[in-house]
Amino acid sequence: METESSTALLPEAFQGARDDITEQMGLVWQQIKAPVIVPLLRLAVLLCLAMSVMLFVERVYMGVVILIVKLFGKRPEKRYKWEPMRDDLELGNSAYPMVLVQIPMYNEKEVYQLSIGAACGLSWPSDRIIIQVLDDSTDPVIKDLVELECQRWASKGINIKYEIRDNRNGYKAGALKEGMKHSYVKDCDYVAIFDADFQPEPDFLWRTIPFLVRNPELALVQARWKFVNSDECLMTRMQEMSLDYHFTVEQEVGSSTYAFFGFNGTAGVWRISAINEAGGWKDRTTVEDMDLAVRASLKGWKFLFLGDLKVKNELPSTLKAYRYQQHRWSCGPANLFRKMLLEIAKNKKVSLFKKVHVIYNFFLVRKIVAHIVTSVFYCMVIPATVLVPEVEIPKWGAVYIPSIITLLNAVGTPRSLHLLVFWILFENVMSLHRTKATFIGLLEAGRVNEWVVTEKLGDASKTKVAAKAARKPRIRIGDRLHLLELGVGAYLFFCGCYDVAFGKNHYFIYLFLQAIAFFIVGFGYVGTFVSHS
């Protein structure tokens, strides 16, 4: 009776294959594919196509704006009042505004001298500038080195302040907020902010401050980044391509249309009264710079991006440092979007156009949809359609739109056009982490407020590599292997093999290339590798 009842519960197709696990799995797959897998995959394809169209329209819109700006647009000096600062015989140096220069740092052994030296080398009347080093270092040796460097510059007549805190509450935002509380800051009109690896040219203030002086509606003047180590390895070249598009297109569009663009956290000059009116620095997310910019924008303040003004800095050249940075840059905006959506929508001080631009263009499309569609569509859904041929993706969604988006992204860095295929594959790999971080931010999950300072190697990177060439470093397996990338790589490789055997869309060419990219990153063979043992 037991045998009869058990076989009666199984479909007839199962009974001849009960002892064959592989065949049973195949039969289970066939049983659930039509009623469950196919409808779900079709829904996923529709959602991904909708997101692709959103991203496509956004990219084309920005491309059109940039084209108009290049052909007919006015330079910043024409759009805003600008004339160089001049000496006043009656007022003397008091004719120049008081400028505070803040350098937040945390255990920056390799670059602290570069940043402090560059800040102290800024050309401005010596009695109208204060250099403020905000040192949150926990290593007492590094703290002593930074303090000695400040004392060395002070002995040369530079007005430099070395400031420390009892704790690291709020990380960078906390340090900047604490720095603004000192009594001598009350006399300052503007504050220039530089991260520890940034080296402004001496004329930086002469080129930025006049915009703020002549245009009282401006809160921020943002400069562009120039990467000193972009040729260090293929990974830094890929980063340069992504960031150049961000500056030459995204920031330029926001500035040219008077809409909105985010503060990059460094290489910018703020009007201190605008910071105060916006509510000061807040540490509720890991993107305190973007948080402040959104709040200031909602108060009606305008921002200006100067694409011709470049400040040298360093790109993370190790995969570990880059992954931490990308987690923070993806998780923070998504979490800020969650916190500020209603506040932006209810705001009555700014136009409907600006509110739509901030909510839809800036946050939804660029900070959320762009990550999700890249990871889910190109690395999950398209490969899955190989296994489920009943679900088809139109050629415009699988080929044409991605190709146009890719070409539009390449506009930012023409010198790296020949690396476009590598860039696509690498961006798809990194989108996996960006998507995970985006969902962590939206859901306010465990690592939402994780802040790991991006490791900088400075000039020491070359000497470190040379020193390690003489003695082979001991590399721990855990430092190299990344299981998530290896798992996705294996999935893509399997889908590619299945496509070769049974498919008809020739996706296997892309699938094998993308699988190789995931394996390369998964085994840690990307970027430079610095052993800390």
Side-chain angles (χ1 to χ4, degrees):
M1 288 293 292
E2 289 181 8
T3 306
E4 288 179 8
S5 62
S6 63
T7 55
L9 291 172
L10 294 169
E12 290 182 11
F14 277 80
Q15 294 176 19
R18 284 182 301 182
D19 300 324
D20 188 340
I21 296 176
T22 304
E23 194 170 342
Q24 282 193 24
M25 289 177 64
L27 291 169
V28 169
W29 170 254
Q30 292 301 324
Q31 291 287 323
I32 67 171
K33 186 166 76 167
V36 180
I37 303 297
V38 171
L40 286 176
L41 190 55
R42 280 184 177 146
L43 178 61
V45 167
L46 284 174
L47 291 173
C48 287
L49 287 175
M51 289 191 289
S52 292
V53 170
M54 290 168 66
L55 189 59
F56 172 74
V57 171
E58 172 71 4
R59 290 289 191 268
V60 170
Y61 157 72
M62 289 194 291
V64 169
V65 172
I66 286 298
L67 186 62
I68 294 172
V69 168
K70 296 298 180 185
L71 292 176
F72 309 108
K74 295 180 180 179
R75 292 176 57 81
E77 292 83 358
K78 301 294 184 182
R79 287 189 285 121
Y80 289 95
K81 296 176 185 176
W82 191 93
E83 59 181 74
M85 304 292 296
R86 303 184 190 282
D87 291 334
D88 189 307
L89 294 177
E90 294 183 8
L91 298 175
N93 284 350
S94 61
Y96 294 90
M98 195 75 178
V99 179
L100 176 70
V101 179
Q102 289 185 316
I103 312 173
M105 57 176 59
Y106 172 73
N107 291 340
E108 306 287 3
K109 183 179 180 181
E110 311 297 351
V111 294
Y112 73 93
Q113 286 181 308
L114 295 174
S115 58
I116 294 174
C120 292
L122 287 169
S123 173
W124 199 252
S126 58
D127 60 338
R128 307 299 290 171
I129 184 171
I130 303 172
I131 311 296
Q132 187 185 63
V133 177
L134 303 168
D135 189 14
D136 272 358
S137 299
T138 53
D139 187 326
V141 175
I142 297 176
K143 288 181 78 167
D144 290 343
L145 289 172
V146 175
E147 186 173 11
L148 283 172
E149 183 69 8
C150 293
Q151 290 174 357
R152 187 172 74 85
W153 282 102
S155 67
K156 295 181 179 182
I158 301 295
N159 188 2
I160 185 168
K161 310 287 186 181
Y162 176 73
E163 307 290 0
I164 58 173
R165 300 189 290 162
D166 295 331
N167 55 67
R168 284 193 70 217
N169 293 344
Y171 303 109
K172 180 181 174 181
L176 293 171
K177 185 176 182 179
E178 196 68 27
M180 299 297 287
K181 293 179 180 179
H182 294 282
S183 58
Y184 54 82
V185 176
K186 294 176 183 176
D187 299 323
C188 298
D189 304 291
Y190 309 107
V191 54
I193 301 168
F194 301 102
D195 282 350
D197 58 316
F198 278 71
Q199 304 161 54
E201 295 297 328
D203 65 346
F204 179 88
L205 296 178
W206 294 112
R207 296 177 65 179
T208 54
I209 297 296
F211 281 107
L212 293 162
V213 170
R214 314 294 181 196
N215 302 275
E217 74 275 19
L218 275 179
L220 165 70
V221 177
Q222 172 73 60
R224 184 176 169 178
W225 299 359
K226 179 182 179 181
F227 313 109
V228 296
N229 65 332
S230 58
D231 293 325
E232 187 169 344
C233 60
L234 188 59
M235 192 181 81
T236 53
R237 286 292 290 272
M238 303 297 100
Q239 292 178 65
E240 181 190 41
M241 291 177 73
S242 299
L243 287 168
D244 276 353
Y245 177 83
H246 167 69
F247 284 109
T248 58
V249 179
E250 292 179 346
Q251 298 292 75
E252 190 66 66
V253 167
S255 179
S256 300
T257 58
Y258 304 96
F260 169 77
F261 65 85
F263 174 44
N264 294 117
T266 178
V269 187
W270 275 91
R271 188 185 302 273
I272 291 178
S273 60
I275 294 178
N276 294 334
E277 187 183 341
W281 294 101
K282 293 186 178 180
D283 59 1
R284 55 182 173 173
T285 69
T286 56
V287 283
E288 73 297 320
D289 45 8
M290 189 182 295
D291 188 348
L292 177 62
V294 173
R295 286 184 281 113
S297 178
L298 295 179
K299 293 290 185 182
W301 290 98
K302 293 181 180 178
F303 306 151
L304 173 64
F305 172 70
L306 296 180
D308 293 335
L309 179 58
K310 300 178 181 180
V311 179
K312 292 188 290 185
N313 72 297
E314 179 185 330
L315 290 164
S317 59
T318 65
L319 179 60
K320 181 180 179 181
Y322 186 55
R323 279 160 57 107
Y324 278 127
Q325 182 200 68
Q326 291 304 296
H327 173 85
R328 190 171 77 245
W329 286 5
S330 303
C331 179
N335 190 234
L336 183 63
F337 179 63
R338 171 192 170 114
K339 285 180 162 66
M340 292 203 69
L341 177 59
L342 290 178
E343 184 180 341
I344 297 168
K346 292 178 180 178
N347 186 276
K348 295 179 180 178
K349 279 195 174 183
V350 297
S351 65
L352 179 63
F353 170 75
K354 180 173 277 192
K355 285 195 281 189
V356 170
H357 178 82
V358 175
I359 292 174
Y360 178 79
N361 300 71
F362 182 78
F363 276 115
L364 187 61
V365 178
R366 297 183 205 169
K367 306 301 180 185
I368 297 173
V369 166
H371 302 326
I372 294 174
V373 74
T374 305
S375 174
V376 175
F377 192 33
Y378 304 129
C379 300
M380 301 294 171
V381 173
I382 290 180
T385 60
V386 171
L387 306 177
V388 187
E390 294 89 340
V391 180
E392 293 185 3
I393 300 175
K395 192 168 284 187
W396 60 264
V399 179
Y400 299 146
I401 280 184
S403 299
I404 295 172
I405 290 174
T406 300
L407 290 172
L408 289 172
N409 272 284
V411 170
T413 317
R415 81 181 187 102
S416 297
L417 198 60
H418 62 291
L419 298 174
L420 204 54
V421 172
F422 296 103
W423 177 78
I424 295 167
L425 298 173
F426 180 69
E427 282 293 292
N428 287 351
V429 175
M430 292 310 302
S431 70
L432 189 67
H433 291 282
R434 294 180 186 131
T435 300
K436 185 173 73 171
T438 298
F439 280 114
I440 289 173
L442 287 173
L443 301 174
E444 263 189 334
R447 293 175 60 200
V448 66
N449 289 317
E450 180 183 60
W451 182 290
V452 178
V453 175
T454 305
E455 180 185 35
K456 294 111 182 169
L457 301 180
D459 292 335
S461 60
K462 298 185 180 69
T463 57
K464 281 186 178 182
V465 172
K468 285 174 172 54
R471 55 180 181 84
K472 196 172 181 179
R474 286 166 43 194
I475 299 172
R476 291 190 295 265
I477 296 296
D479 290 340
R480 280 286 195 187
L481 292 182
H482 305 289
L483 298 180
L484 188 59
E485 284 90 344
L486 293 175
V488 176
Y491 163 70
L492 291 167
F493 187 77
F494 171 75
C495 292
C497 293
Y498 191 92
D499 194 43
V500 169
F502 308 107
K504 56 183 178 180
N505 291 321
H506 302 294
Y507 285 159
F508 66 87
I509 300 171
Y510 159 71
L511 293 172
F512 284 143
L513 287 173
Q514 191 62 71
I516 291 169
F518 270 98
F519 285 139
I520 290 172
V521 176
F523 284 113
Y525 287 102
V526 66
T528 59
F529 187 80
V530 179
S531 175
H532 295 283
S533 57

